[in-house]
Amino acid sequence: MANECFSEVIDGVDLTGKRTILTGTTSGIEVETARALAGAGVDVTLAVRNVEGGRRVAGEITAATGNPKVAAESLQLADRASVASFTDAWQGPLHILVNNAGIMALPELHRKPQGWELQFATDYLDHFNLALGLHEALAAASGACVVSLTSVGHLFSPVVFEDIHFERRLYEEWAAYGQSKTANALLAVGAAERWADDGITANAVMPGGIRTGLQRHQEGNMTPEIEAAFADFSWKTVEEGAATSVLAAASPLPEGATGRYFEDCNEAEVHSALDPSATSGVLPYALDAGNAEQLWDLATDMLRA
């Protein structure tokens, strides 16, 4: 299904002249997503921490697709000055923003200097800040889309507004990861609502489980409940994992869809309640407009502090 999806969603699609920014694009599904978009004629900017590695990837994508308009630019998402510099330097419309970068299940609690829990700050807040900085460019595109990478891990936790940063509750790495991925889904819901009048759509994408460096903290680090949930998990290839991102970013198939959650190249099933055995689908708290509004306001206040 996913292999068929990858070949079909962008087959025959010509996006020449469209412009995209992808974060974290030096390995994994991000590279495959960038390659697919470049193959459809998109001008691709890889926003990366490692510029040398990004330029190598850009060259490989150009060689594979024949598209010379693939470039790497420095972006330190965790550094607000770097984000401001990057967004201020962007000129003209932006048609596609794909928020890929992230970290997963850090076994110990880490905080940013502001006291923010690191997974929430990295996976969600840094991308929220980037999206805000690029809002005018997205609005100028008259039909832009934002793709926010989430995960089946969102099933592990809603956003715990009473204690997002584990100041009072015991830190648990999978709860922290789940909260950050729920937040990413809510970013799409919030942007879909707030930016609709600008012609911007936003959707959350669960790419599927892919064996990449993202899992480096998993070995021997899963609770029995998490191990049980992943016992029968179907791991995907990198190409399969990129398919749903490509669908949301470039395919005409979900045209008009916004504020939704996609997986396996389809809109996900909404579960009525948490199923401990579930390895797919989306829970209502990750699509709740009230949660999205509360999180948007909270994140805005955090960035102002």
Side-chain angles (χ1 to χ4, degrees), residues 157-168:
S157 177
V159 174
V160 181
F161 289 103
E162 297 79 11
D163 189 14
I164 286 177
H165 302 295
F166 293 87
E167 295 170 320
R168 294 177 297 280

Side-chain angles (χ1 to χ4, degrees), residues 158-220:
V159 174
V160 181
F161 289 103
E162 297 79 11
D163 189 14
I164 286 177
H165 302 295
F166 293 87
E167 295 170 320
R168 294 177 297 280
R169 57 184 170 136
L170 182 67
Y171 176 77
E172 199 284 306
E173 60 266 44
W174 290 101
Y177 177 67
Q179 175 179 250
S180 74
K181 289 304 174 178
T182 294
N184 278 3
L186 292 173
L187 190 161
V189 175
E193 176 65 26
R194 290 173 181 255
W195 295 348
D197 290 344
D198 297 315
I200 300 169
T201 60
N203 290 294
V205 165
M206 151 50 178
I210 304 102
R211 293 290 192 183
T212 69
L214 190 64
Q215 288 89 31
R216 61 186 176 276
H217 298 296
Q218 282 188 10
E219 190 72 26

Side-chain angles (χ1 to χ4, degrees), residues 29-216:
I29 65 169
E30 298 92 337
V31 174
E32 200 60 47
T33 303
R35 194 188 328 272
L37 294 176
V42 177
D43 296 4
V44 175
T45 296
L46 312 178
V48 296
R49 289 184 300 169
N50 179 355
V51 178
E52 182 179 350
R55 287 173 178 162
R56 174 185 52 78
V57 170
E60 292 171 353
I61 292 174
T62 291
T65 64
N67 184 344
K69 294 185 176 181
V70 183
E73 298 291 344
S74 176
L75 175 62
Q76 308 294 328
L77 272 171
D79 182 344
R80 282 191 275 179
S82 175
V83 173
S85 177
F86 180 88
T87 57
D88 288 346
W90 184 266
Q91 298 294 317
L94 173 63
H95 302 86
I96 306 166
L97 173 62
V98 185
N99 292 326
N100 279 302
I103 55 178
M104 180 179 185
L106 300 181
E108 296 179 355
L109 174 62
H110 294 272
R111 299 188 187 278
K112 294 189 71 172
Q114 300 90 337
W116 305 334
E117 190 277 317
L118 191 60
Q119 288 183 86
F120 179 84
T122 301
D123 294 354
Y124 165 72
L125 193 61
D126 290 346
H127 281 116
F128 176 76
N129 186 34
L130 177 66
L132 289 183
L134 292 169
H135 174 234
E136 289 187 8
L138 290 162
S142 300
C145 71
V146 176
V147 180
S148 185
L149 270 286
T150 182
S151 166
V152 65
H154 87 275
L155 298 172
F156 302 149
S157 177
V159 174
V160 181
F161 289 103
E162 297 79 11
D163 189 14
I164 286 177
H165 302 295
F166 293 87
E167 295 170 320
R168 294 177 297 280
R169 57 184 170 136
L170 182 67
Y171 176 77
E172 199 284 306
E173 60 266 44
W174 290 101
Y177 177 67
Q179 175 179 250
S180 74
K181 289 304 174 178
T182 294
N184 278 3
L186 292 173
L187 190 161
V189 175
E193 176 65 26
R194 290 173 181 255
W195 295 348
D197 290 344
D198 297 315
I200 300 169
T201 60
N203 290 294
V205 165
M206 151 50 178
I210 304 102
R211 293 290 192 183
T212 69
L214 190 64
Q215 288 89 31
R216 61 186 176 276

Side-chain angles (χ1 to χ4, degrees), residues 16-42:
T16 301
K18 303 290 187 181
R19 307 168 76 203
T20 185
I21 293 171
L22 303 95
T23 66
T25 320
T26 54
S27 64
I29 65 169
E30 298 92 337
V31 174
E32 200 60 47
T33 303
R35 194 188 328 272
L37 294 176
V42 177

